[in-house]
Amino acid sequence: MVLKVYGPAYASPKRVLVCLVEKEIEYEVVPVDLLKGEHKSPEYLKLQPFGSVPLLQDGDYTLFESRAMIRYYSEKYKSQGTDLLGKTVEERGLVEQWLDVEAIQFHPPIYELTLQIMFNPLLGLPSDEKSIKENEEKLAKVLDIYEERLSKSQYLAGDFFSLADLSHLPFTDYLVGPIKKEYLIRDRKHVSAWWDDISNRPSWQKIRQL
């Protein structure tokens, strides 16, 4: 049975889909319209009690939370497709470290920018300019640390593309696109080169078409 990924139009599900493409795993996508509240339906909440996307069904096995999914499939199919976890325990440690940095340091400010600049207008809500300014400043500080790190290695966990890099793709794509704050990337030489590298991978280009 082909696994199903719910909510392909949004950033977090795309994190999962690009991982599946890198790992050469077949999948189906199941649309979920957040603006219509489909993620809050009783049927959906039985599968994902927090009412968010993505949700993944693999036969009788169900997972939610995108970073749990990419860790799981990268481990389960480690010898298939791109090795996204590293070849040694030490490399794996760095992958996990920078994947946590993405989740804890990078994601909160970029997610808030996405809400304020992209989604609030779609929902007819005002954008909070103070929040935009504060979170842009927070994100800039994180990217300064990335700039230092990427001056020493091609990718975040070393000289190999990994989950640590992959996990940044969907929301950074918003940042340089509809959020219109590409300068946060381009003003940093090494971050800019890294973004050009990872965003031009065939796997990401395929998912962007969805």
Side-chain angles (χ1 to χ4, degrees):
M1 183 178 292
V2 177
L3 63 89
K4 298 178 181 180
V5 181
Y6 290 71
Y10 304 98
S12 293
K14 287 180 180 176
R15 178 181 290 119
V16 178
L17 294 174
V18 72
C19 175
L20 296 178
V21 174
E22 289 280 353
K23 297 305 294 180
E24 301 173 1
I25 301 167
E26 292 186 14
Y27 62 88
E28 295 177 3
V29 295
V30 182
V32 178
D33 192 331
L34 303 188
L35 298 180
K36 291 182 179 178
E38 292 178 357
H39 58 305
K40 299 298 184 182
S41 70
E43 295 79 10
Y44 190 81
L45 290 172
K46 287 178 183 177
L47 299 170
Q48 215 299 15
F50 296 100
S52 61
V53 292
L55 167 71
L56 188 148
Q57 285 185 303
D58 190 351
D60 294 331
Y61 188 66
T62 301
L63 271 179
F64 53 82
E65 297 300 340
S66 62
R67 294 174 191 83
M69 295 176 192
I70 63 176
R71 284 179 165 107
Y72 172 75
Y73 281 99
S74 294
E75 184 66 54
K76 183 175 181 179
Y77 295 94
K78 187 167 172 57
S79 61
Q80 177 176 311
T82 307
D83 183 354
L84 298 169
L85 296 173
K87 294 182 171 31
T88 66
V89 173
E90 288 75 21
E91 287 180 350
R92 175 66 179 267
L94 290 174
V95 172
E96 294 289 352
Q97 170 184 276
W98 286 100
L99 188 53
D100 280 354
V101 168
E102 184 275 324
I104 297 167
Q105 304 293 342
F106 178 87
H107 183 73
I110 201 169
Y111 180 74
E112 187 62 25
L113 289 173
T114 301
L115 285 181
Q116 295 295 336
I117 297 172
M118 282 183 61
F119 282 100
N120 276 7
L122 289 174
L123 296 169
L125 300 172
S127 296
D128 184 334
E129 294 301 326
K130 181 181 178 183
S131 175
I132 291 172
K133 182 176 184 295
E134 289 175 350
N135 282 285
E136 184 174 337
E137 290 172 354
K138 289 177 183 177
L139 184 60
K141 290 178 181 178
V142 174
L143 290 172
D144 285 342
I145 294 171
Y146 281 32
E147 178 70 6
E148 171 65 19
R149 170 60 180 170
L150 292 165
S151 71
K152 299 174 181 176
S153 61
Q154 184 176 356
Y155 300 102
L156 287 170
D159 291 322
F160 62 98
F161 178 76
S162 74
L163 290 184
D165 310 290
L166 178 152
S167 194
H168 289 79
L169 283 164
F171 279 93
T172 309
D173 196 59
Y174 284 164
L175 186 74
V176 303
I179 292 177
K180 298 181 180 179
K181 292 190 181 292
E182 186 175 13
Y183 65 89
L184 287 168
I185 301 297
R186 297 306 176 195
D187 286 354
R188 295 165 174 83
K189 174 183 175 182
H190 299 289
V191 171
S192 182
W194 167 75
W195 174 246
D196 285 342
D197 184 332
I198 68 173
S199 64
N200 281 296
R201 290 182 73 84
S203 58
W204 178 241
Q205 292 302 312
K206 178 178 180 178
I207 297 308
R208 287 189 83 242
Q209 310 289 322
L210 291 176

